Amino acid sequence: MDENNVTIITAIHLLGFQIPQSITYLVFFTFLLFFCVTICGNLLIITLVSYSKSLHSPMYFFLTQLALSDIILVSDIVPNLLHAVLENTTIVSVSDCITQIYFFAATESLECLLLTVMSYDRYLAICRPLHYTMVMSHRFCWIAGISSWSLSFLAILVNTLTITTLQFCGPNIIDHYFCDLEPILQLSCSDTTIVQLEVTSMSVMFALIPFFIIIVSYIYIIVTILEIPSITGRQKVFSTCSSHLTVVSIFYGTIVCVYMVPNRGQSWNISKFLSLLYTLVTPMLNPILYSLRNKDLKQVIQKLIFKILTLHFNHPFNH
């Protein structure tokens, strides 16, 4: 107890989804399957890009960074989610909760920056092809990649350190499956004004400005594509950026639904299910969308499968 008779909490109960006992294992194995597909799919992207020299281009370099970011995101969120599904609740310390918020916010911010750089890459490739090789050099890619990682993790660290100065009071129950910032701040008995200002600044820096740059890039891209005289030519050029545009639409669409649409009076269950879209579904879809809609990746996968089968059937033990 402190001097104001307020209990300072050190652990937080996450209620999870409160699903019926009869479908607990079905939901658990569904989420586990999503998790495994996400990890394997993103590792496959990283492996394919590393393995094939034909994929050693700026777009695929940033795609591997996106895949690595998605692996960190699901590894931060899903283990607790699976535990919450099995137990119908899970208990985490306040420090663990803040750590989860840090990695979640950092990877989401990183994804915004990477998608922005990837849109700039597509803009140069389609609208400024003569400048592409000069601008998107090996050096530029590494500088952009390292800057995105550093800026995301360092900027969010500043905000996280401010959160650690807050005191949290009872009740210590959150109706969510992971430690999201808004429900955590609702438990604070300290002044959260500085945290809220920092969060607003981070949202402008990592969400709004990147989104504006992506929109402007695609306006130029669409105008350039429409100027191509042949329909076949338009389709061919558009196919080079369709995967990225789909990923951007899903990523920002879910963020807008969860964070920017007013949720006063909205059921927490709706917010939780919407949150699943960007914490579990989007990281799983990214490698699938890029693999299914990208001719270069499909060719590398086919070559790899053919090579494995050839080695298998030519192995001396198979004779």
Side-chain angles (χ1 to χ4, degrees), residues 61-62 114 117 139-149:
F61 171 80
F62 292 115
L114 290 173
V117 179
R139 183 170 176 269
F140 174 84
C141 290
W142 277 102
I143 290 173
I146 292 169
S147 299
S148 297
W149 281 86

Side-chain angles (χ1 to χ4, degrees), residues 271-291:
S271 294
K272 282 187 282 187
F273 281 108
L274 286 173
S275 299
L276 275 177
L277 291 175
Y278 62 85
T279 57
L280 188 60
V281 178
T282 303
M284 181 185 70
L285 285 179
N286 284 354
I288 294 172
L289 287 169
Y290 272 101
S291 300

Side-chain angles (χ1 to χ4, degrees), residues 93-108:
S93 67
V94 170
S95 58
D96 285 347
C97 217
I98 293 173
T99 302
Q100 188 178 57
I101 289 172
Y102 170 67
F103 282 103
F104 166 70
T107 51
E108 291 289 284

Side-chain angles (χ1 to χ4, degrees), residues 40-274:
C40 293
N42 283 289
L43 283 176
L44 179 63
I45 292 287
I46 295 170
T47 305
L48 289 175
V49 174
S50 304
Y51 160 80
S52 176
K53 289 182 180 178
S54 65
L55 299 180
H56 288 180
S57 65
M59 184 173 72
Y60 295 111
F61 171 80
F62 292 115
L63 182 57
T64 61
Q65 305 304 302
L66 193 66
L68 187 55
S69 173
D70 283 337
I71 289 171
I72 295 172
L73 172 62
V74 295
S75 299
D76 179 48
I77 301 293
V78 178
N80 268 353
L81 165 61
L82 294 173
H83 185 267
V85 169
L86 280 181
E87 301 295 331
N88 260 345
T89 183
T90 189
I91 301 173
V92 293
S93 67
V94 170
S95 58
D96 285 347
C97 217
I98 293 173
T99 302
Q100 188 178 57
I101 289 172
Y102 170 67
F103 282 103
F104 166 70
T107 51
E108 291 289 284
S109 302
L110 174 61
E111 186 141 350
C112 289
L113 296 183
L114 290 173
L115 290 173
T116 306
V117 179
M118 291 169 81
S119 71
Y120 179 62
D121 170 82
R122 291 299 84 205
Y123 160 77
L124 284 174
I126 295 169
C127 304
R128 299 286 185 270
L130 297 178
H131 298 90
Y132 182 79
T133 307
M134 182 178 68
V135 177
M136 296 300 289
S137 62
H138 188 264
R139 183 170 176 269
F140 174 84
C141 290
W142 277 102
I143 290 173
I146 292 169
S147 299
S148 297
W149 281 86
S150 303
L151 190 59
S152 303
F153 280 82
L154 288 175
I156 300 300
L157 180 62
V158 172
N159 183 230
T160 306
L161 290 174
T162 308
I163 295 171
T164 60
T165 64
L166 302 177
Q167 288 188 323
F168 298 93
C169 310
N172 63 340
I173 297 172
I174 292 178
D175 189 8
H176 215 324
Y177 64 87
F178 77 102
C179 297
D180 204 358
L181 184 60
E182 185 184 347
I184 292 296
L185 291 183
Q186 289 175 3
L187 300 185
S188 175
C189 45
S190 307
D191 184 5
T192 61
T193 306
I194 295 175
V195 176
Q196 298 284 7
L197 286 172
E198 287 178 351
V199 169
T200 303
S201 302
M202 300 295 174
S203 299
V204 171
M205 183 189 302
F206 293 110
L208 292 181
I209 293 176
F211 185 61
F212 176 75
I213 294 170
I214 291 170
I215 292 294
V216 171
S217 297
Y218 271 98
I219 289 173
Y220 278 104
I221 288 169
I222 291 168
V223 169
T224 303
I225 290 173
L226 290 175
E227 290 174 351
I228 298 171
S230 71
I231 295 174
T232 308
R234 289 178 198 169
Q235 290 174 340
K236 187 176 179 182
V237 173
F238 183 74
S239 68
T240 64
C241 59
S242 59
S243 299
H244 177 261
L245 185 58
T246 306
V247 169
V248 167
S249 303
I250 294 172
F251 179 75
Y252 273 100
T254 53
I255 284 180
V256 166
C257 286
V258 176
Y259 291 108
M260 297 183 184
V261 174
N263 60 356
R264 294 286 174 261
Q266 177 178 294
S267 167
W268 265 112
N269 282 328
I270 296 173
S271 294
K272 282 187 282 187
F273 281 108
L274 286 173

